[in-house]
Structures are given as structure tokens and as C-alpha cells.
Amino acid sequence: MTATPIPPCWSRAEIQIAAQVDAGGLEFGDPTADAVFSAVHQAVPLSRRTKAGINQPVTEREVLIDLCQPLSSNEPHIRFITGRVGTGKSHLVRWLRVHAPRRNDWHVVYIEKRNTSLRRIIECVLEGIDTPTAHDLRASLARAASRVTTVQEAMLALLNHLHRMVQFDNTPAIQNMSGADLQVVRERIARLVGDYSFKQQLSRPGGPIERIAKLAKDGHGPDANVDAGDLHITETDLRINPEDFVDFSEDFQLKIREFGFSHRLRTAAAAVLDYYLPRAIAEVFTGSATDLLQVFEDVRGELARRGHELFLFIEDLVLLHGIDAQLAQALTVPARGDLCRVRAAIAVTSGYLDDRYATFADRGVHYTMDVDLSEVQNVDLQSFVGKYLNAGRVGRHALAAAVRSGDEVPNACPDCIYRDRCHPAFGVTREGYGLFPFNAAAVDRLIALASPKGGFDPRNILREVIREPLEVAEAELPTPGTFPSARFASGLEQTRLSVPVELRDAITRQSNTPQPEISLRAFYAVNPPVVDDQVRDIAEALGVHLTNIGDDDAPSVTPVETAPTAPAPTHELDLWVGGVRLAANTARDIRRWILDALAARLQYGPHGFNVKRSGTSVLVGPVTIKASNVWLDNSAGGGSTPPESCAIHFYPNDRDAVLLKGVLTASGSLVGPNSGRWFFELQTRLATLEAEIAERVRDEMASGVGSALAVLGVLSHVDGHRAESPAQALGVMIRPQRPDPINPGIVKFLDEVARHRISALTVVRDSLTQRKGDGAPSIFDAGAVLRDLVRYAQLTQLPSELQTQPNARINMRGFHDAQCSSAETLWRPVRDRLREIAQHVSEGEDLREAQAAMDRVISQAHRESVLADSGAKVTYDRLRQKVAGEQLDLLRTLTKLEPSSVDPGAVWHLTVDPLPVLADLLNYWRLCDHTLHALRDTAGTPRGASDTYDRARLQRALRGLADTLEGLSK
């Protein structure tokens, strides 16, 4: 039977009030708030910093005694409480105020952080002071408040004051600027700040002027982190977009662009504006009619007349930005007859007292709260948390009632009906406050996680250890087996890093309450992730099932006082699950192993693809699998976006981290985490990816092999043999024979497209072959393209649909362009020769008959001895032998084939170079024309049948023709 669950025993509203992240959230002087403050106060280590820079440990009681000691000197008695943001400085100042003795001769001024504006601060200083100067300042404050009723009015007033001071003040030096350099910067800033649009840029929502105006006008919220940097103007605040000023004059736009692109100018401008900012704030929010320094001296004078000391408590000096310089100057003036003594406790963030406050800082003693977490005892940390838990259980009104009655802080646990079950399981603090729903180990571990820099950080502890985990507990405790879920302390250790991912994965698989068990092992165990007897008791009380794992059988360790903090996880994948980016080297090793495993499956498995490695990629037929296809979320080296397909994804969760841990250990052993089960689960994931790649490869093959065969078919035309069957077509495409002789221009073209041919052959091999293991590739799927092989082999150029088709492996456009270019280059001289021959041969002329007629003319002239040189006939005969019927047929063919425009397929008509034959034909027909012209010129005009044959004249004509022929032959 399951025991009744222990319900939440605190009030969320009371926890929210008690655990405010700053003491300023509890209004000073309110009895109820004071009671809560006293109930939760916990002393922490302090150090007094000597002039030599040495820190000497002190207690808060010693600080109080030092602060309140009788004053024998006229020097200001100032005690600074320094520390980082969130270390509890203002809390200690309030504790000092509460425990300081009540004396009639002390005029106490307490300046708290709770919604304290500059006006309210000065009113606190003037409280009880009735002097003319005080009256004037109060009137000035009222006038200033009436002028700036909204933040918008305050921003405009601030900028107007800054503009005036920058333009007309005569301060000779600001930081490292002086003289002419400072004057140039002044002029540029005044020109910009005086412009309405530039003011709008500076006072934009969330901008620097809005931020500063809000803080000065309304003060800081109780839970706000007071950052000194928020009160200053920096170079970053002045970064502007020049495009916002495109409607302005060219001169102004030039100034804006120079300002926007010049880091040096913006830095100088920020320094000047920040120099005048405190004065501008003081004038806007306190008025400029009264000198604040004089007011402080009047206050001290009035108190001196009363015989009182001025005792200042300031929760944070940052609050006084705008009047802090005057206050610092006033507090450094020693006491005299007309000025009272001063003692002060001032909280100030480390580093705030820079060179501007050197004199002020040197006048005081510095106590620091910047302590290392190791300096705080674990029992004190548990007491710190326990007091807030008790305050949330008792409630502020009961705490206030106890204070009024003079009783001790009440403890809510003794009257609780669950006490006998709760305290043995969860434990108590030294004051007897129950730690439920935590235990000592959980408190220590959570506090350590909430202090990542190793320092004691009360503010973050309140937020991350008390407030947020208790909200989760309040929602989950009523349901057994739910608390502590993954939401518990998720902001500190969202993945429970002290429990290795392989163990978390095993628990998730086996337990019906996995997340609560993981949380108990991570936070509540003395030695995470091993459960001990206390964790078992807590699990039983919460209804959480604990998984039986081997390490839990070890003897339990009973802590004497507290549990040690968990060591930081060392394995990179544990950190990756926790949000840390996976390093590039680790991610590279994982991707490489995954790709190797995938390549082995694709090559040696049933698919038997032809797999190659190219650098970091795996080539599977026409598909390339890159390292980026192994997507590791939040890792280096994987690209910015995951691929849309053929990818395997790993995310920062326990299950995937176990798989990747196995991958990283696989080089030495396949056992790895969870006894090697990771390997078989990963193989299942790889099988899914393998099937997707196989389908992609087949789709790519179907679309890519046609383009490859088209390229091979076009190039096979150099062979000249016509393929009549698929076998002949495939043979001529794979290994075409070049003619001998071959046109050098064709050789050049083939060399230019050699890379396209190689790509096409690779596609054919990858698409139509398979490889079993390391065996040689063998064609097995030619049937898919068998009936198209002859058609491809008959192509003289790429079909139009393929000429510009995108192809990842073959540059189809490049191949087509190369063929077009070669065709044009080869046909250009052929066209020229054909045009020259056309001047001697008429279109449609019977070339063979013309040759026979010329043969008879030359023979008859030779017989008649009309040729002066018998060698003329030899020359004719030699040319005649080169232009037989075959050459005449080529001339007619080329004349008919001559393309009118670029025809890529026409390149194959010139596989054998026709230019030598065309040159012989041109010489021959040129000789024939010369012969006929000579005969016509020398024969004269016939005069009828009675004309006699002038042998001598014919001989002279033929002799001249012979000389001409001789010259042509040479």
C-alpha cells in the first residue's frame, strides 16, 4: 500500500516574499518585513581589506562594532561593504542598521534600494533638517518633479542639458582629450545632439537615455540587478544606422556616416557625454538653483548645532548616480565646530570606486563580501536554505507576532503530522528546520551549481535553489512518483550531468518513473549516481521507483555532516547533452565512423553498390553522401542547416549520446556503453538511411544514365561504323575506333570533351554495375536501357532536351557548347575552299564530263605540238591523278552538307580532313580555267570554212598556255 504523499508545507506567496533576491524588496521600517528579514538572515564570511591589499577574516559582529565605535577623530568614519553583484552587500547594510544601537545623538539616514529615486534620496538626507537651504532644495525638488512627470519629458530634458553643457562648458580636459582635439569633438557632438532626429535615436525605446532617465526618476525595482554600467553612456550606446538619416542634407549625412563608421569618434563622444551626464541628471531631477554640496554642509552644520552625528546607511552607492560625486566630496570633509562628525556604511559594487572617487575611497575601511564558496561551511549553507523554508512555512504575520512577543523565531516542523516520516528521510538543519523537499546533499549540490564561478552568490541561490525548485515541488508533490521531475532545478543542471547518459538511457528504458529517479540520483545521492539508504527512503516517501543497477550494490556511505559536491562531468558527450557545443574534432571523428559504417553496408550488403571515397565524402553511384549528411545538432563543422534528405540526425539527448559514446569507443572495442547494445541500435538507424540512399541512387540512375549514354553515343560517331544491334551499339560507345588518318581538329575536340566522356563512363559504370565486396564490377542491369542503345549510338549531337539539362555529374551544356564550337571551327576553312572552287565549277556541272573534255583538249594540243613545253602535259596529268571520281564525289557531298548555320552534328562529316583533297581540286580546276581562257584568247575568231588553220599562231598560244601551267604547277 502506497503511503500518503507528504504535501507542500509552505506557502508560495510567503516564499516569494521571504526569498526576494534583494533585501531592498523588504521595506525598511515595516515590522512585518523586519521580522521576515531577521528570520532569514544568515551570517556569511567577510574580510577586511588592509591598505596593503591583504584580506583579514572578520565577522559581521566585528564590522558592527567597528562601525559603531566611539569617534575620537574628526575624520569621516566610513565603512565600505564591497562585493560583486548579488553577494548580499545591501543585506549586510540592512543588518547593520537593524542591529546598530539606538542613540539620541545619532541622526540616522537610511537610503534603501526599494524604488528609490534621486528626489527620494535627497528627501531622506533632509529629513528632520529645517534650514533655509533645505527649504530651497525641497522647493527645487518639487519644481523639478513638476517639470519631468514622464520618462519622455525626462529624456528630452537630459538631452537638452547635455547639449548645452557640451557646447558651452569650458572644461579644459576630459579623459585624454584637451585643447583643439577636445574642441573638435565638442563641436561634432553638439551638432549631432542638437539635432531632433539624433535625439530620437538616443532616446529610442530601450536606448541609453531611456534607461538612465528611468533609473534616476523612478529608482530600481526591488528584484533588479543594479549594474553600474547601466548608468553610463558607452560607445555601444552611440552606434546608429546612417540609413535612418537619408532625408537630411548631404552635409549632415556625411557627419552621420563618419560618426557611424568611426569607433574612435564614438568612443570620444561617449566619454564627453558621460562626463557631463551626472551634472545633467542632478539638474534635471533635483533642480539647478541650489548647490548640493552646500546643502550637505548645511545638514552637517545643523546637526553640529544639535550635537548630533550624521549616520548614513546606503544600500548601494550606484543609486546616487548624479549626486554621488557631491556626496563623496561632502563626506570627505573632516568635522569641525560647524560640521558634525560623519559615520557611514555604504554598499558599493566592486570596481565602482574608480579614480573619480580615489580620495573618498581612501578615507574609508573596505570590507569585502567576495568570498569563495569553499569558505562557507556546508552546515551554514543548509541553514541558509532552511531559514527561508521555515519562513515560508511560518508566514510573515506569525514571524511578526513572535517579534512583538519577544519570542524566538518559531519553527513550523514540530507541529507537522508528517514530521516522523519527513525528518528521517530528508533531514534537518542545525536549527531543527526540516529540509523537505530537499536533503542535505541536494542543498549542497544545488548551491554549488548556482555558484558557477566558485563564489558565494546568495542572490542566485535564492532564485535558483529556493524559489524555482519550490514552485516545481508545489505542483508535483501531490502526485506520487512525479517529483522531482526534469523541471526540478532544470536551469542549473537540465540534463542531470552527474548521471552519465548511458545510465540515464537505461533508467528511461526500464523505469516507470525515470525522470524523478534521475533527479534523485543526480541531486540527492551522496555519490551520484549511486543511490544510498537516504535516497531509498526519499524515493519511498515520494513514490519513485528505483532501477536496480550494478553500482547500487556497493556499500552505502553515510555522510557525517554533508555530501561532497558532485565532480564535474568529464565526458564531452555528457556536456553536449547539457548544452555545450560539441568540439569539431570529436564531431569529425563521429561523422567519419558513421560514413565508414554506411559505406560498408552499401558495398558489402545486399545492395552491392559501387562505393568510392572522395576526401570526406562517400560516392554511391550518382549520389554523394557528405560529412554534413551526418547531422550532429549543436556541433562544430556540420554546416548551418541540415540536409533535406539522405541524412542521419543525432540530437543532444541521452539515447543519442549513448550511441555516439559507442561510436567514439568503437575503434578499441564494440562493447562500449550498455554492453554493446548501442551498436545494434545504431545499425537499425543506419539501415533506414541505407534504404533511403538506395532509393535515391536508383532514381538518380534512371535519370542520369540516359544523359551519359547520349554523350557516349555522340562521341561514338567518330568510329564511322553504323551499329545495327544493341551489342554493337554498346561496344562502339564504350570503345570507339578512330579512323586513320583522323582530322586533327576532331582529335582536339575529343581531347576537349574527354572529361565529359569520363564522367559519362563513370555514370554508366556506377548505374549499370554492382560490386559485391571488393570484387570487380560487372554489368547486370543493361536490360533497362537495351532497346535504346542503338538509338543512342546513332546520335550525332545531343537532343535539344539534354543540351541544357542540369546534371550534377556531367556538364551537358559544356559538352554541347564544345561540340558547337568545334563544328564551327572545322567548317570555317572548308567553306572558304568550297567558295573558291565554286568560282571555277558551275553549280550542277557534270564534273566527270568536264574532266573528259579537258583530257581531250590537252591530249590534242600535245599531239599537234602546239605546246611549246611537253612538260605542261605532265603537270596536267599529275594534277589529274589527284582528282579522280572519289574526290569529285567528296566535293559534291561537302557542297550539299555545308551547314548554313552552326550544326554540332556536322562536325562528324569532317572526321577525315577534306582540306588536302579540296586544295587539289582547287588547283586542278584553276588549271582547267587557265587552259580554256588561253585557248580562247589565242585562237582568234573563225571567219568561215574557207579560213585556213594558222598552225604557227596556235603553237604560240599553246606555248603561252604551257608556260602558265608550268607556273601554276610550281
Side-chain angles (χ1 to χ4, degrees):
M1 180 176 179
T2 303
T4 303
I6 302 175
C9 54
W10 61 88
S11 164
R12 177 182 295 191
E14 298 299 336
I15 286 292
Q16 292 292 337
I17 291 172
Q20 295 186 69
V21 298
D22 203 301
L26 298 171
E27 184 176 359
F28 181 77
D30 177 4
T32 301
D34 289 342
V36 174
F37 176 83
S38 298
V40 300
H41 176 72
Q42 173 69 37
V44 297
L46 293 163
S47 296
R48 175 171 176 166
R49 185 167 297 164
T50 66
K51 296 293 184 181
I54 300 174
N55 289 338
Q56 298 175 338
V58 296
T59 65
E60 60 186 17
R61 285 287 173 185
E62 291 173 329
V63 176
L64 179 64
I65 293 172
D66 176 35
L67 178 65
C68 299
Q69 65 178 296
L71 300 183
S72 58
S73 169
N74 289 337
E75 289 295 317
H77 188 74
I78 302 174
R79 298 298 180 259
F80 294 106
I81 312 299
T82 66
R84 299 182 302 271
V85 173
T87 52
K89 303 181 298 296
S90 57
H91 186 100
L92 179 58
V93 169
R94 181 166 186 160
W95 184 88
L96 293 171
R97 171 65 183 92
V98 169
H99 291 83
R102 301 297 187 264
R103 290 178 47 174
N104 293 330
D105 60 344
W106 283 353
H107 180 80
V108 178
V109 177
Y110 186 79
I111 300 175
E112 58 180 327
K113 294 171 65 174
R114 181 185 177 89
N115 299 324
T116 304
S117 64
L118 281 181
R119 179 185 179 184
R120 175 60 184 150
I121 291 171
I122 297 176
E123 289 174 344
C124 288
V125 174
L126 296 177
E127 188 173 352
I129 305 299
D130 189 14
T131 65
T133 306
H135 283 298
D136 291 342
L137 184 52
R138 289 190 180 96
S140 180
L141 289 173
R143 288 192 300 270
S146 66
R147 288 195 302 267
V148 288
T149 58
T150 66
V151 174
Q152 286 72 22
E153 290 175 314
M155 289 192 292
L156 181 59
L158 265 178
L159 289 169
N160 288 338
H161 279 71
L162 286 172
H163 181 208
R164 174 177 55 80
M165 293 174 183
V166 169
Q167 187 166 9
F168 299 108
D169 186 74
N170 57 0
T171 299
I174 297 177
Q175 288 193 1
N176 59 346
M177 295 176 288
S178 61
D181 292 338
L182 178 57
Q183 186 59 32
V184 170
V185 174
R186 282 185 188 279
E187 292 174 356
R188 292 185 176 183
I189 298 172
R191 174 69 178 89
L192 294 176
V193 177
D195 179 79
Y196 173 78
S197 295
F198 195 83
K199 289 179 181 178
Q200 291 292 100
Q201 281 285 321
L202 292 182
S203 57
R204 63 188 180 274
I209 301 302
E210 182 188 64
R211 180 184 71 234
I212 294 167
K214 282 183 176 179
L215 294 176
K217 179 180 179 297
D218 301 324
H220 302 263
D223 283 0
N225 290 330
V226 182
D227 187 351
D230 290 340
L231 300 170
H232 295 276
I233 295 177
T234 65
E235 178 273 332
T236 304
D237 293 326
L238 299 182
R239 295 177 183 175
I240 59 174
N241 184 4
E243 295 181 0
D244 294 333
F245 300 87
V246 293
D247 296 332
F248 289 77
S249 66
E250 293 184 3
D251 177 65
F252 188 74
Q253 289 189 54
L254 179 62
K255 289 181 171 59
I256 285 292
R257 286 195 295 271
E258 181 183 7
F259 187 82
F261 297 131
S262 175
H263 180 273
R264 181 191 60 80
L265 182 56
R266 290 196 306 273
T267 301
V272 172
L273 291 173
D274 196 58
Y275 175 82
Y276 291 112
L277 184 61
R279 283 173 52 186
I281 291 174
E283 292 189 12
V284 170
F285 296 100
T286 67
S288 56
T290 305
D291 185 358
L292 292 177
L293 181 59
Q294 182 63 47
V295 171
F296 288 132
E297 291 190 354
D298 283 355
V299 170
R300 291 183 64 185
E302 176 64 20
L303 294 177
R305 286 189 291 274
R306 299 177 186 178
H308 291 176
E309 293 179 2
L310 176 61
F311 201 159
L312 278 172
F313 292 88
I314 301 176
E315 284 192 357
D316 202 319
L317 185 61
V318 178
L319 298 168
L320 281 68
H321 183 67
I323 62 171
D324 50 355
Q326 292 93 326
L327 175 66
Q329 187 175 355
L331 293 183
T332 55
V333 178
R336 55 179 189 257
D338 60 340
L339 292 178
C340 72
R341 286 191 173 95
V342 175
R343 67 177 77 225
I346 304 173
V348 57
T349 304
S350 301
Y352 186 77
L353 294 176
D354 56 17
D355 294 340
R356 294 172 295 177
Y357 306 94
T359 303
F360 182 42
D362 290 342
R363 294 296 179 94
V365 173
H366 296 253
Y367 293 98
T368 178
M369 300 191 71
D370 285 334
V371 297
D372 191 87
L373 184 63
S374 60
E375 298 180 30
V376 186
Q377 297 296 320
N378 285 354
V379 291
D380 293 328
L381 296 173
Q382 295 161 21
S383 179
F384 178 85
V385 173
K387 288 180 178 181
Y388 282 95
L389 288 171
N390 186 62
R393 294 167 184 148
V394 174
R396 59 190 183 279
H397 299 297
L399 292 173
V403 172
R404 289 193 299 270
S405 303
D407 298 333
E408 297 291 332
V409 176
N411 185 349
C413 289
D415 297 330
C416 177
I417 62 174
Y418 300 99
R419 179 179 183 275
D420 293 340
R421 290 174 53 202
C422 176
H423 282 199
F426 294 92
V428 296
T429 69
R430 61 190 174 194
E431 296 85 1
Y433 303 143
L435 288 174
F436 175 79
F438 309 108
N439 69 347
V443 169
D444 295 340
R445 192 153 293 113
L446 291 173
I447 288 178
L449 292 171
S451 310
K453 295 181 180 179
F456 180 54
D457 190 349
R459 181 176 297 177
N460 205 41
I461 292 171
L462 292 178
R463 182 186 295 113
E464 300 289 348
V465 179
I466 298 176
R467 293 176 62 171
E468 294 185 7
L470 288 182
E471 290 180 5
V472 174
E474 183 179 355
E476 296 178 348
L477 279 172
T479 305
T482 304
F483 178 81
S485 70
R487 292 176 54 211
F488 176 77
S490 60
L492 295 177
E493 196 180 42
Q494 70 273 23
T495 54
R496 283 71 178 131
L497 294 179
S498 55
V499 182
V501 292
E502 54 267 38
L503 179 56
R504 295 204 303 266
D505 183 54
I507 293 173
T508 301
R509 294 171 184 270
Q510 300 178 37
S511 176
N512 58 354
T513 56
Q515 292 305 320
E517 178 180 355
I518 292 172
S519 295
L520 290 180
R521 290 178 179 270
F523 298 113
Y524 289 73
V526 175
N527 298 302
V530 179
V531 298
D532 48 53
D533 291 340
Q534 188 180 29
V535 171
R536 292 188 179 92
D537 293 341
I538 293 174
E540 183 179 358
L542 298 177
V544 176
H545 168 74
L546 294 178
T547 306
N548 184 21
I549 60 175
D551 291 341
D552 292 337
D553 297 332
S556 61
V557 178
T558 303
V560 176
E561 194 173 81
T562 181
T565 58
T570 55
H571 201 288
E572 190 174 357
L573 286 170
D574 287 271
L575 298 175
W576 175 62
V577 176
V580 178
R581 188 172 177 82
L582 197 63
N585 291 340
T586 304
R588 181 196 60 217
D589 293 342
I590 291 172
R591 293 187 180 102
R592 183 178 297 167
W593 193 94
I594 296 291
L595 288 179
D596 288 342
L598 180 64
R601 293 183 61 93
L602 290 165
Q603 181 171 337
Y604 293 93
H607 295 291
F609 287 123
N610 194 350
V611 177
K612 295 190 301 180
R613 296 302 297 261
S614 176
T616 59
S617 302
V618 174
L619 306 182
V620 189
V623 176
T624 300
I625 304 300
K626 301 179 180 179
S628 57
N629 288 78
V630 181
W631 181 256
L632 306 176
D633 196 55
N634 194 27
S635 68
S640 58
T641 56
E644 296 180 357
S645 62
C646 295
I648 184 170
H649 295 78
F650 296 93
Y651 297 98
N653 56 52
D654 296 344
R655 179 161 296 185
D656 283 1
V658 171
L659 298 181
L660 298 185
K661 272 192 176 182
V663 168
L664 291 178
T665 59
S667 58
S669 171
L670 289 181
V671 177
N674 63 21
S675 302
R677 290 192 300 274
W678 69 269
F679 180 79
F680 299 99
E681 182 173 342
L682 183 58
Q683 293 302 313
T684 302
R685 299 268 293 271
L686 288 175
T688 303
L689 177 59
E690 178 186 4
E692 183 181 358
I693 294 174
E695 183 178 358
R696 172 80 174 275
V697 169
R698 293 189 182 97
D699 292 341
E700 292 288 336
M701 286 178 176
S703 61
V705 71
S707 300
L709 290 175
V711 170
L712 295 176
V714 171
L715 294 178
S716 70
H717 223 72
V718 71
D719 190 294
H721 292 86
R722 182 177 179 83
E724 302 293 344
S725 67
Q728 292 175 345
L730 184 60
V732 77
M733 284 192 293
I734 298 301
R735 195 185 294 275
Q737 301 297 318
R738 297 184 180 185
D740 188 19
I742 186 172
N743 191 338
I746 295 294
V747 174
K748 182 179 179 182
F749 164 63
L750 295 176
D751 291 341
E752 289 177 355
V753 297
R755 63 183 185 279
H756 301 86
R757 171 176 164 78
I758 292 174
S759 297
L761 287 171
T762 303
V763 170
V764 170
R765 182 199 63 190
D766 293 343
S767 303
L768 301 179
T769 65
Q770 68 173 349
R771 181 196 298 271
K772 285 296 184 180
D774 294 323
S778 58
I779 293 181
F780 78 102
D781 200 19
V785 294
L786 199 61
R787 58 185 176 182
D788 295 324
L789 289 176
V790 173
R791 177 174 61 86
Y792 284 126
Q794 293 175 353
L795 292 176
T796 60
Q797 62 176 311
L798 293 178
S800 58
E801 67 271 13
L802 296 181
Q803 291 174 4
T804 58
Q805 183 187 63
N807 191 300
R809 305 184 69 183
I810 308 174
N811 185 353
M812 304 297 286
R813 177 186 289 275
F815 178 82
H816 175 70
D817 291 346
Q819 188 176 359
C820 290
S821 177
S822 295
E824 177 62 24
T825 300
L826 291 175
W827 269 99
R828 189 178 299 115
V830 173
R831 289 194 189 98
D832 295 341
R833 289 290 181 270
L834 291 176
R835 291 191 185 98
E836 291 182 275
I837 293 174
Q839 296 176 3
H840 304 280
V841 178
S842 302
E843 185 177 356
E845 183 177 356
D846 189 340
L847 300 181
R848 286 184 170 78
E849 180 61 31
Q851 276 187 326
M854 286 302 302
D855 291 344
R856 290 193 296 272
V857 169
I858 296 300
S859 296
Q860 182 180 355
H862 181 70
R863 285 195 304 271
E864 295 294 335
S865 300
V866 295
L867 295 177
D869 185 0
S870 60
K873 185 176 187 306
V874 174
T875 301
Y876 175 83
D877 291 342
R878 177 167 52 81
L879 287 176
R880 177 65 177 80
Q881 291 175 359
K882 295 181 179 181
V883 289
E886 184 178 348
Q887 285 77 17
L888 296 177
D889 292 341
L890 175 63
L891 175 61
R892 286 303 185 196
T893 300
L894 291 176
T895 302
K896 293 178 181 179
L897 292 176
E898 179 185 359
S900 58
S901 60
V902 176
D903 178 12
V907 72
W908 303 117
H909 298 310
L910 307 181
T911 302
V912 177
D913 189 3
L915 288 177
V917 173
L918 293 179
D920 291 339
L921 286 168
L922 177 60
N923 289 335
Y924 172 75
W925 291 115
R926 196 178 275 167
L927 171 65
C928 292
D929 270 3
H930 281 291
T931 301
L932 293 176
H933 282 293
L935 289 174
R936 184 191 65 188
D937 294 340
T938 58
T941 303
R943 289 177 294 185
S946 61
D947 289 345
T948 58
Y949 182 71
D950 190 344
R951 181 182 180 89
R953 184 165 58 86
L954 181 58
Q955 285 180 338
R956 288 194 299 273
L958 291 179
R959 192 177 298 111
L961 176 61
D963 293 341
T964 301
L965 293 177
E966 185 68 22
L968 288 175
S969 66
K970 293 180 179 180

